[in-house]
Each structure stands twice: as structure tokens, then as C-alpha cells.
Coordinates of all heavy atoms in Angstrom, one line a residue:
M1 N -93.3 1.9 -1.0 CA -93.4 0.4 -0.9 C -92.1 -0.2 -1.5 O -91.5 -1.1 -0.9 CB -94.6 0.0 -1.7 CG -94.8 -1.5 -1.8 SD -95.5 -2.1 -0.3 CE -96.2 -3.5 -0.9
K2 N -91.6 0.3 -2.7 CA -90.4 -0.3 -3.3 C -89.2 -0.1 -2.4 O -88.4 -0.9 -2.3 CB -90.3 0.4 -4.7 CG -89.2 -0.2 -5.5 CD -89.2 0.5 -6.9 CE -88.4 -0.2 -7.8 NZ -88.3 0.4 -9.1
S3 N -89.2 1.1 -1.7 CA -88.1 1.4 -0.8 C -88.1 0.5 0.4 O -87.0 0.0 0.8 CB -88.2 2.8 -0.4 OG -87.2 3.1 0.6
A4 N -89.2 0.1 0.9 CA -89.3 -0.8 2.1 C -88.8 -2.2 1.7 O -88.2 -2.9 2.5 CB -90.7 -0.8 2.6
I5 N -89.2 -2.6 0.5 CA -88.8 -4.0 0.0 C -87.2 -4.0 -0.1 O -86.6 -4.9 0.3 CB -89.5 -4.3 -1.3 CG1 -91.0 -4.6 -1.0 CG2 -88.9 -5.6 -1.9 CD1 -91.8 -4.8 -2.3
L6 N -86.7 -3.0 -0.8 CA -85.2 -2.9 -0.9 C -84.5 -2.8 0.4 O -83.5 -3.5 0.6 CB -84.8 -1.7 -1.8 CG -85.2 -1.8 -3.3 CD1 -84.8 -0.5 -4.0 CD2 -84.4 -2.9 -3.9
S7 N -85.0 -2.1 1.3 CA -84.4 -2.0 2.7 C -84.4 -3.3 3.4 O -83.5 -3.8 4.0 CB -85.2 -1.0 3.5 OG -84.7 -0.9 4.8
S8 N -85.6 -4.1 3.2 CA -85.7 -5.4 3.8 C -84.7 -6.4 3.2 O -84.0 -7.2 3.9 CB -87.1 -5.9 3.7 OG -87.2 -7.2 4.2
L9 N -84.5 -6.3 1.9 CA -83.6 -7.2 1.2 C -82.1 -6.9 1.6 O -81.3 -7.8 1.8 CB -83.7 -7.0 -0.3 CG -85.0 -7.7 -0.9 CD1 -85.1 -7.3 -2.4 CD2 -84.9 -9.2 -0.8
R10 N -81.8 -5.6 1.8 CA -80.5 -5.2 2.2 C -80.2 -5.8 3.6 O -79.1 -6.3 3.8 CB -80.3 -3.7 2.2 CG -80.0 -3.1 0.9 CD -79.6 -1.6 1.0 NE -79.9 -1.0 -0.2 CZ -80.9 -0.1 -0.4 NH1 -81.6 0.3 0.7 NH2 -81.2 0.4 -1.5
K11 N -81.1 -5.7 4.5 CA -80.9 -6.2 5.8 C -80.8 -7.7 5.8 O -79.9 -8.3 6.5 CB -82.1 -5.8 6.7 CG -82.1 -4.3 7.1 CD -83.2 -4.0 8.0 CE -83.2 -2.5 8.3 NZ -84.3 -2.1 9.2
T12 N -81.6 -8.4 5.0 CA -81.4 -9.8 4.9 C -80.1 -10.2 4.3 O -79.4 -11.1 4.8 CB -82.6 -10.4 4.0 OG1 -83.8 -10.0 4.6 CG2 -82.5 -11.9 3.9
G13 N -79.6 -9.5 3.3 CA -78.3 -9.8 2.7 C -77.2 -9.5 3.7 O -76.2 -10.2 3.8
Q14 N -77.3 -8.4 4.5 CA -76.3 -8.1 5.5 C -76.3 -9.3 6.6 O -75.2 -9.7 7.0 CB -76.6 -6.8 6.2 CG -76.4 -5.6 5.3 CD -76.9 -4.3 6.0 OE1 -77.6 -4.3 6.9 NE2 -76.4 -3.2 5.4
R15 N -77.4 -9.7 7.0 CA -77.5 -10.8 8.0 C -76.8 -12.1 7.4 O -76.0 -12.8 8.1 CB -78.9 -11.1 8.4 CG -79.4 -10.2 9.5 CD -80.7 -10.6 10.0 NE -81.6 -9.4 10.0 CZ -82.7 -9.3 9.3 NH1 -83.2 -10.4 8.7 NH2 -83.4 -8.2 9.4
A16 N -77.1 -12.4 6.2 CA -76.6 -13.6 5.6 C -75.0 -13.5 5.4 O -74.3 -14.4 5.7 CB -77.2 -13.8 4.2
G17 N -74.6 -12.3 5.1 CA -73.2 -12.0 5.0 C -72.5 -12.1 6.3 O -71.4 -12.7 6.4
L18 N -73.1 -11.6 7.4 CA -72.5 -11.8 8.7 C -72.5 -13.2 9.2 O -71.5 -13.7 9.8 CB -73.3 -10.9 9.7 CG -73.1 -9.4 9.7 CD1 -74.1 -8.7 10.6 CD2 -71.7 -9.1 10.0
V19 N -73.5 -14.0 8.9 CA -73.5 -15.4 9.3 C -72.4 -16.1 8.5 O -71.7 -16.9 9.1 CB -74.9 -16.0 9.0 CG1 -74.8 -17.5 9.1 CG2 -75.9 -15.5 9.9
S20 N -72.3 -15.8 7.2 CA -71.2 -16.5 6.4 C -69.8 -16.1 6.9 O -68.9 -16.9 7.1 CB -71.3 -16.1 4.9 OG -72.5 -16.6 4.4
L21 N -69.6 -14.8 7.3 CA -68.4 -14.3 7.8 C -68.1 -15.0 9.1 O -66.9 -15.5 9.4 CB -68.4 -12.8 7.9 CG -67.1 -12.2 8.5 CD1 -65.9 -12.5 7.6 CD2 -67.3 -10.7 8.7
G22 N -69.1 -15.1 10.0 CA -68.9 -15.8 11.3 C -68.5 -17.3 11.1 O -67.6 -17.8 11.8
A23 N -69.2 -18.0 10.2 CA -68.8 -19.4 9.9 C -67.4 -19.5 9.4 O -66.7 -20.4 9.8 CB -69.9 -20.0 8.9
M24 N -67.0 -18.6 8.5 CA -65.7 -18.7 7.9 C -64.6 -18.4 9.0 O -63.6 -19.1 9.0 CB -65.5 -17.7 6.7 CG -66.2 -18.2 5.5 SD -65.9 -17.2 4.0 CE -66.1 -15.5 4.6
T25 N -64.9 -17.5 9.9 CA -64.0 -17.2 11.0 C -63.9 -18.4 11.9 O -62.8 -18.8 12.3 CB -64.5 -16.0 11.8 OG1 -64.6 -14.8 10.9 CG2 -63.5 -15.6 12.9
L26 N -65.0 -19.0 12.2 CA -64.9 -20.2 13.1 C -64.1 -21.3 12.5 O -63.3 -21.9 13.1 CB -66.4 -20.6 13.4 CG -66.5 -21.8 14.3 CD1 -65.9 -21.5 15.7 CD2 -67.9 -22.2 14.5
L27 N -64.3 -21.5 11.2 CA -63.6 -22.6 10.5 C -62.1 -22.3 10.5 O -61.3 -23.2 10.6 CB -64.1 -22.8 9.1 CG -65.5 -23.5 8.9 CD1 -65.9 -23.5 7.5 CD2 -65.4 -24.9 9.4
S28 N -61.7 -21.0 10.2 CA -60.3 -20.7 10.2 C -59.7 -20.8 11.5 O -58.5 -21.2 11.7 CB -60.1 -19.3 9.6 OG -60.6 -18.3 10.5
L29 N -60.4 -20.5 12.6 CA -59.8 -20.7 13.9 C -59.6 -22.1 14.3 O -58.7 -22.4 15.1 CB -60.8 -20.0 15.0 CG -60.8 -18.5 14.9 CD1 -61.9 -17.9 15.9 CD2 -59.5 -17.9 15.2
T30 N -60.5 -23.0 13.9 CA -60.4 -24.4 14.3 C -59.5 -25.2 13.3 O -59.1 -26.3 13.6 CB -61.8 -25.1 14.4 OG1 -62.4 -25.0 13.1 CG2 -62.6 -24.4 15.5
A31 N -59.2 -24.7 12.1 CA -58.5 -25.4 11.1 C -57.1 -25.8 11.6 O -56.6 -26.9 11.4 CB -58.4 -24.7 9.8
G32 N -56.4 -24.9 12.2 CA -55.1 -25.2 12.7 C -55.0 -26.3 13.7 O -54.2 -27.1 13.7
S33 N -56.0 -26.2 14.7 CA -55.9 -27.2 15.7 C -56.5 -28.6 15.3 O -56.3 -29.6 15.9 CB -56.7 -26.7 16.9 OG -58.1 -26.5 16.6
A34 N -57.2 -28.6 14.1 CA -57.8 -29.8 13.6 C -56.7 -30.8 13.1 O -56.8 -32.0 13.1 CB -58.8 -29.6 12.5
N35 N -55.5 -30.2 12.8 CA -54.4 -31.0 12.3 C -53.7 -31.7 13.4 O -53.0 -32.7 13.2 CB -53.5 -30.1 11.5 CG -54.1 -29.7 10.2 OD1 -55.0 -30.3 9.7 ND2 -53.7 -28.6 9.6

């Protein structure tokens, strides 16, 4: 049970990290043209 919860938390953390990384990439790509 404990292992299933940790595995679920890791996957959630990975998804959040990927979403954050995607948002930062999008912002960096548009920052140059925004000027």
C-alpha cells in the first residue's frame, strides 16, 4: 500500500515538473519576440 502511494506521488510530481518545464520553455520562446 505504501509503495503504491509513493509511486502515485512520484508520477504526480513528474507530471507537475513536465508542465512547469513546458510553461518555462513556452515563456522563453516568446520572450524574445515580445520585445
